[in-house]
PDB file of all heavy atoms in Angstrom:
ATOM      1  N   ALA A   8       9.429  -4.423   3.752  1.00 98.00           N
ATOM      2  CA  ALA A   8       9.582  -5.636   2.870  1.00 98.00           C
ATOM      3  C   ALA A   8       8.314  -5.921   2.111  1.00 98.00           C
ATOM      4  O   ALA A   8       8.260  -6.899   1.379  1.00 98.00           O
ATOM      5  CB  ALA A   8      10.039  -6.839   3.693  1.00 98.00           C
ATOM      6  N   GLY A   9       7.302  -5.122   2.308  1.00 98.00           N
ATOM      7  CA  GLY A   9       6.042  -5.282   1.555  1.00 98.00           C
ATOM      8  C   GLY A   9       6.066  -4.585   0.224  1.00 98.00           C
ATOM      9  O   GLY A   9       7.129  -4.117  -0.189  1.00 98.00           O
ATOM     10  N   PHE A  10       4.968  -4.543  -0.410  1.00 98.00           N
ATOM     11  CA  PHE A  10       4.886  -3.973  -1.748  1.00 98.00           C
ATOM     12  C   PHE A  10       5.289  -2.502  -1.770  1.00 98.00           C
ATOM     13  O   PHE A  10       6.298  -2.117  -2.356  1.00 98.00           O
ATOM     14  CB  PHE A  10       3.430  -4.183  -2.301  1.00 98.00           C
ATOM     15  CG  PHE A  10       3.063  -3.304  -3.459  1.00 98.00           C
ATOM     16  CD1 PHE A  10       3.873  -3.168  -4.557  1.00 98.00           C
ATOM     17  CD2 PHE A  10       1.853  -2.569  -3.441  1.00 98.00           C
ATOM     18  CE1 PHE A  10       3.524  -2.360  -5.641  1.00 98.00           C
ATOM     19  CE2 PHE A  10       1.473  -1.796  -4.528  1.00 98.00           C
ATOM     20  CZ  PHE A  10       2.285  -1.642  -5.605  1.00 98.00           C
ATOM     21  N   ILE A  11       4.563  -1.665  -1.107  1.00 99.00           N
ATOM     22  CA  ILE A  11       4.902  -0.188  -1.187  1.00 99.00           C
ATOM     23  C   ILE A  11       6.158   0.092  -0.422  1.00 99.00           C
ATOM     24  O   ILE A  11       7.004   0.885  -0.868  1.00 99.00           O
ATOM     25  CB  ILE A  11       3.701   0.647  -0.643  1.00 99.00           C
ATOM     26  CG1 ILE A  11       2.412   0.314  -1.382  1.00 99.00           C
ATOM     27  CG2 ILE A  11       4.027   2.158  -0.794  1.00 99.00           C
ATOM     28  CD1 ILE A  11       1.187   0.995  -0.882  1.00 99.00           C
ATOM     29  N   GLY A  12       6.314  -0.544   0.754  1.00 99.00           N
ATOM     30  CA  GLY A  12       7.495  -0.281   1.623  1.00 99.00           C
ATOM     31  C   GLY A  12       8.789  -0.545   0.815  1.00 99.00           C
ATOM     32  O   GLY A  12       9.725   0.187   0.908  1.00 99.00           O
ATOM     33  N   SER A  13       8.840  -1.723   0.142  1.00 98.00           N
ATOM     34  CA  SER A  13      10.097  -2.053  -0.523  1.00 98.00           C
ATOM     35  C   SER A  13      10.343  -1.111  -1.701  1.00 98.00           C
ATOM     36  O   SER A  13      11.501  -0.707  -1.934  1.00 98.00           O
ATOM     37  CB  SER A  13      10.129  -3.482  -1.004  1.00 98.00           C
ATOM     38  OG  SER A  13       9.061  -3.789  -1.843  1.00 98.00           O
ATOM     39  N   ASN A  14       9.301  -0.728  -2.394  1.00 99.00           N
ATOM     40  CA  ASN A  14       9.475   0.314  -3.455  1.00 99.00           C
ATOM     41  C   ASN A  14       9.963   1.590  -2.873  1.00 99.00           C
ATOM     42  O   ASN A  14      10.820   2.304  -3.444  1.00 99.00           O
ATOM     43  CB  ASN A  14       8.154   0.517  -4.188  1.00 99.00           C
ATOM     44  CG  ASN A  14       7.934  -0.433  -5.305  1.00 99.00           C
ATOM     45  OD1 ASN A  14       8.505  -0.338  -6.395  1.00 99.00           O
ATOM     46  ND2 ASN A  14       7.043  -1.411  -5.126  1.00 99.00           N
ATOM     47  N   PHE A  15       9.434   1.938  -1.675  1.00 99.00           N
ATOM     48  CA  PHE A  15       9.836   3.190  -1.036  1.00 99.00           C
ATOM     49  C   PHE A  15      11.358   3.178  -0.674  1.00 99.00           C
ATOM     50  O   PHE A  15      12.063   4.115  -0.904  1.00 99.00           O
ATOM     51  CB  PHE A  15       8.960   3.484   0.221  1.00 99.00           C
ATOM     52  CG  PHE A  15       9.383   4.767   0.881  1.00 99.00           C
ATOM     53  CD1 PHE A  15       8.915   5.960   0.413  1.00 99.00           C
ATOM     54  CD2 PHE A  15      10.239   4.717   1.957  1.00 99.00           C
ATOM     55  CE1 PHE A  15       9.329   7.162   1.017  1.00 99.00           C
ATOM     56  CE2 PHE A  15      10.644   5.933   2.589  1.00 99.00           C
ATOM     57  CZ  PHE A  15      10.157   7.144   2.081  1.00 99.00           C
ATOM     58  N   VAL A  16      11.752   2.071  -0.043  1.00 99.00           N
ATOM     59  CA  VAL A  16      13.152   1.943   0.408  1.00 99.00           C
ATOM     60  C   VAL A  16      14.097   2.024  -0.817  1.00 99.00           C
ATOM     61  O   VAL A  16      15.099   2.728  -0.861  1.00 99.00           O
ATOM     62  CB  VAL A  16      13.371   0.639   1.203  1.00 99.00           C
ATOM     63  CG1 VAL A  16      14.840   0.405   1.486  1.00 99.00           C
ATOM     64  CG2 VAL A  16      12.596   0.706   2.530  1.00 99.00           C
ATOM     65  N   LEU A  17      13.764   1.253  -1.850  1.00 98.00           N
ATOM     66  CA  LEU A  17      14.577   1.288  -3.083  1.00 98.00           C
ATOM     67  C   LEU A  17      14.664   2.663  -3.687  1.00 98.00           C
ATOM     68  O   LEU A  17      15.744   3.157  -4.044  1.00 98.00           O
ATOM     69  CB  LEU A  17      14.039   0.257  -4.093  1.00 98.00           C
ATOM     70  CG  LEU A  17      14.131  -1.223  -3.702  1.00 98.00           C
ATOM     71  CD1 LEU A  17      13.295  -2.078  -4.691  1.00 98.00           C
ATOM     72  CD2 LEU A  17      15.566  -1.680  -3.705  1.00 98.00           C
ATOM     73  N   ASP A  18      13.529   3.284  -3.730  1.00 98.00           N
ATOM     74  CA  ASP A  18      13.442   4.630  -4.344  1.00 98.00           C
ATOM     75  C   ASP A  18      14.186   5.658  -3.506  1.00 98.00           C
ATOM     76  O   ASP A  18      14.850   6.550  -4.020  1.00 98.00           O
ATOM     77  CB  ASP A  18      11.979   4.992  -4.370  1.00 98.00           C
ATOM     78  CG  ASP A  18      11.567   5.552  -5.703  1.00 98.00           C
ATOM     79  OD1 ASP A  18      12.070   4.996  -6.707  1.00 98.00           O
ATOM     80  OD2 ASP A  18      10.719   6.477  -5.754  1.00 98.00           O
ATOM     81  N   TRP A  19      14.004   5.559  -2.151  1.00 98.00           N
ATOM     82  CA  TRP A  19      14.669   6.435  -1.254  1.00 98.00           C
ATOM     83  C   TRP A  19      16.193   6.496  -1.468  1.00 98.00           C
ATOM     84  O   TRP A  19      16.792   7.531  -1.530  1.00 98.00           O
ATOM     85  CB  TRP A  19      14.333   6.063   0.194  1.00 98.00           C
ATOM     86  CG  TRP A  19      14.956   6.948   1.250  1.00 98.00           C
ATOM     87  CD1 TRP A  19      16.197   6.701   1.857  1.00 98.00           C
ATOM     88  CD2 TRP A  19      14.445   8.090   1.854  1.00 98.00           C
ATOM     89  NE1 TRP A  19      16.414   7.704   2.748  1.00 98.00           N
ATOM     90  CE2 TRP A  19      15.361   8.571   2.767  1.00 98.00           C
ATOM     91  CE3 TRP A  19      13.227   8.818   1.677  1.00 98.00           C
ATOM     92  CZ2 TRP A  19      15.141   9.706   3.582  1.00 98.00           C
ATOM     93  CZ3 TRP A  19      13.032   9.949   2.457  1.00 98.00           C
ATOM     94  CH2 TRP A  19      13.959  10.408   3.390  1.00 98.00           C
ATOM     95  N   LEU A  20      16.736   5.247  -1.510  1.00 98.00           N
ATOM     96  CA  LEU A  20      18.201   5.177  -1.647  1.00 98.00           C
ATOM     97  C   LEU A  20      18.664   5.441  -3.039  1.00 98.00           C
ATOM     98  O   LEU A  20      19.848   5.699  -3.252  1.00 98.00           O
ATOM     99  CB  LEU A  20      18.667   3.759  -1.138  1.00 98.00           C
ATOM    100  CG  LEU A  20      18.452   3.584   0.344  1.00 98.00           C
ATOM    101  CD1 LEU A  20      18.733   2.138   0.760  1.00 98.00           C
ATOM    102  CD2 LEU A  20      19.268   4.548   1.181  1.00 98.00           C
ATOM    103  N   ARG A  21      17.744   5.472  -4.005  1.00 98.00           N
ATOM    104  CA  ARG A  21      18.068   5.892  -5.381  1.00 98.00           C
ATOM    105  C   ARG A  21      18.230   7.410  -5.403  1.00 98.00           C
ATOM    106  O   ARG A  21      19.072   7.946  -6.117  1.00 98.00           O
ATOM    107  CB  ARG A  21      16.981   5.477  -6.348  1.00 98.00           C
ATOM    108  CG  ARG A  21      17.398   4.380  -7.306  1.00 98.00           C
ATOM    109  CD  ARG A  21      16.221   3.937  -8.115  1.00 98.00           C
ATOM    110  NE  ARG A  21      15.967   2.518  -7.978  1.00 98.00           N
ATOM    111  CZ  ARG A  21      14.789   1.940  -7.799  1.00 98.00           C
ATOM    112  NH1 ARG A  21      13.702   2.663  -7.807  1.00 98.00           N
ATOM    113  NH2 ARG A  21      14.702   0.635  -7.629  1.00 98.00           N
ATOM    114  N   VAL A  22      17.396   8.113  -4.643  1.00 97.00           N
ATOM    115  CA  VAL A  22      17.406   9.574  -4.786  1.00 97.00           C
ATOM    116  C   VAL A  22      18.180  10.279  -3.680  1.00 97.00           C
ATOM    117  O   VAL A  22      18.436  11.504  -3.821  1.00 97.00           O
ATOM    118  CB  VAL A  22      15.983  10.169  -4.899  1.00 97.00           C
ATOM    119  CG1 VAL A  22      15.226   9.642  -6.096  1.00 97.00           C
ATOM    120  CG2 VAL A  22      15.159   9.938  -3.606  1.00 97.00           C
ATOM    121  N   ASN A  23      18.501   9.613  -2.595  1.00 93.00           N
ATOM    122  CA  ASN A  23      19.428  10.256  -1.577  1.00 93.00           C
ATOM    123  C   ASN A  23      20.149   9.201  -0.784  1.00 93.00           C
ATOM    124  O   ASN A  23      19.863   8.039  -0.879  1.00 93.00           O
ATOM    125  CB  ASN A  23      18.637  11.262  -0.736  1.00 93.00           C
ATOM    126  CG  ASN A  23      17.681  10.628   0.183  1.00 93.00           C
ATOM    127  OD1 ASN A  23      18.071   9.983   1.150  1.00 93.00           O
ATOM    128  ND2 ASN A  23      16.382  10.786  -0.089  1.00 93.00           N
ATOM    129  N   ASP A  24      21.121   9.680   0.016  1.00 97.00           N
ATOM    130  CA  ASP A  24      22.027   8.750   0.706  1.00 97.00           C
ATOM    131  C   ASP A  24      21.735   8.570   2.163  1.00 97.00           C
ATOM    132  O   ASP A  24      22.490   7.950   2.889  1.00 97.00           O
ATOM    133  CB  ASP A  24      23.463   9.257   0.545  1.00 97.00           C
ATOM    134  CG  ASP A  24      24.044   8.856  -0.796  1.00 97.00           C
ATOM    135  OD1 ASP A  24      23.609   7.798  -1.342  1.00 97.00           O
ATOM    136  OD2 ASP A  24      24.873   9.611  -1.321  1.00 97.00           O
ATOM    137  N   GLU A  25      20.628   9.125   2.641  1.00 98.00           N
ATOM    138  CA  GLU A  25      20.291   8.988   4.074  1.00 98.00           C
ATOM    139  C   GLU A  25      19.940   7.552   4.406  1.00 98.00           C
ATOM    140  O   GLU A  25      19.097   6.973   3.720  1.00 98.00           O
ATOM    141  CB  GLU A  25      19.143   9.924   4.418  1.00 98.00           C
ATOM    142  CG  GLU A  25      18.894   9.977   5.889  1.00 98.00           C
ATOM    143  CD  GLU A  25      17.777  10.983   6.250  1.00 98.00           C
ATOM    144  OE1 GLU A  25      17.109  11.494   5.343  1.00 98.00           O
ATOM    145  OE2 GLU A  25      17.585  11.137   7.488  1.00 98.00           O
ATOM    146  N   PRO A  26      20.632   6.976   5.341  1.00 98.00           N
ATOM    147  CA  PRO A  26      20.448   5.540   5.650  1.00 98.00           C
ATOM    148  C   PRO A  26      18.969   5.174   6.088  1.00 98.00           C
ATOM    149  O   PRO A  26      18.277   6.038   6.598  1.00 98.00           O
ATOM    150  CB  PRO A  26      21.380   5.245   6.816  1.00 98.00           C
ATOM    151  CG  PRO A  26      22.393   6.318   6.716  1.00 98.00           C
ATOM    152  CD  PRO A  26      21.670   7.534   6.184  1.00 98.00           C
TER     153      PRO A  26
END
Side-chain angles (χ1 to χ4, degrees):
F10 162 48
I11 304 174
S13 59
N14 275 284
F15 179 82
V16 171
L17 292 169
D18 229 36
W19 178 270
L20 293 173
R21 249 175 238 137
V22 299
N23 69 70
D24 279 331
E25 187 175 8

